[in-house]
Amino acid sequence: SSGINAENGGFVVAKETVTSWNRMEADKFYEEHKGKFFQQRLVEFMSSGEFHALVLAHQTEDAITKWRGLLGFTKCYKARQQNPTSIRALYGLSDTRNAGHGSDSPDSFEREAKLLFPEWDCEQWAADNSSSNS
């Protein structure tokens, strides 16, 4: 076992579910890629069965950068060359079946989290789980 997981990077699971999408739901999630050559393959794959969705939290401001670093490059072959212990290097199969997703900005995170967990309140979770500084 590689020992790589979210907890190794100091992340905690804030919200999780096992779910599946129809094509319309996957299309909406990946709408930013509309018209790109890989969008159709991505939507087909993401609507082909169940997946595990997580919201990960981290105590630092650069959680998105840290998570994307653990994930590794989108292209699995590049991940294997440049960061062979990354999640995508170890578990990814192709550019669209690359073993994980990471929001690329706080705005993307907010949009994506609402699509996956419409009833969940991120700010309330953060307030309820923040450690006191006193």
Side-chain angles (χ1 to χ4, degrees), residues 55 108-120 122:
V55 172
S108 291
F109 163 75
E110 284 185 32
R111 185 184 74 78
E112 293 167 359
K114 278 184 179 36
L115 289 170
L116 287 161
F117 305 102
E119 306 298 320
W120 185 64
C122 175

Side-chain angles (χ1 to χ4, degrees), residues 4-118:
I4 289 186
N5 58 47
E7 289 84 11
N8 290 150
F11 290 90
V12 295
V13 176
K15 188 74 176 164
E16 67 181 307
T17 190
V18 175
T19 190
S20 61
W21 282 334
N22 60 39
R23 290 181 56 81
M24 196 168 68
E25 291 165 320
D27 227 9
K28 186 172 176 83
F29 191 86
Y30 292 107
E31 67 187 359
E32 70 190 72
H33 299 307
K34 191 97 95 188
K36 295 181 181 169
F37 73 94
F38 59 85
Q39 194 258 351
Q40 185 71 20
R41 281 185 313 195
L42 189 55
V43 167
E44 286 175 15
F45 175 61
M46 289 306 297
S47 59
S48 68
E50 289 186 335
F51 61 92
H52 201 127
L54 302 169
V55 172
L56 300 176
H58 200 281
Q59 289 186 331
T60 61
E61 291 293 316
D62 61 347
I64 288 173
T65 303
K66 284 185 181 301
W67 175 244
R68 290 173 66 89
L70 280 175
L71 273 176
F73 292 96
T74 300
K75 295 180 183 299
C76 296
Y77 78 88
K78 190 172 183 182
R80 287 184 191 100
Q81 292 171 349
Q82 303 291 323
N83 189 356
T85 61
S86 67
I87 292 167
R88 288 175 172 155
L90 293 169
Y91 305 109
L93 301 176
S94 70
D95 297 352
T96 51
R97 297 176 183 215
N98 63 13
H101 173 76
S103 301
D104 62 4
S105 70
D107 288 342
S108 291
F109 163 75
E110 284 185 32
R111 185 184 74 78
E112 293 167 359
K114 278 184 179 36
L115 289 170
L116 287 161
F117 305 102

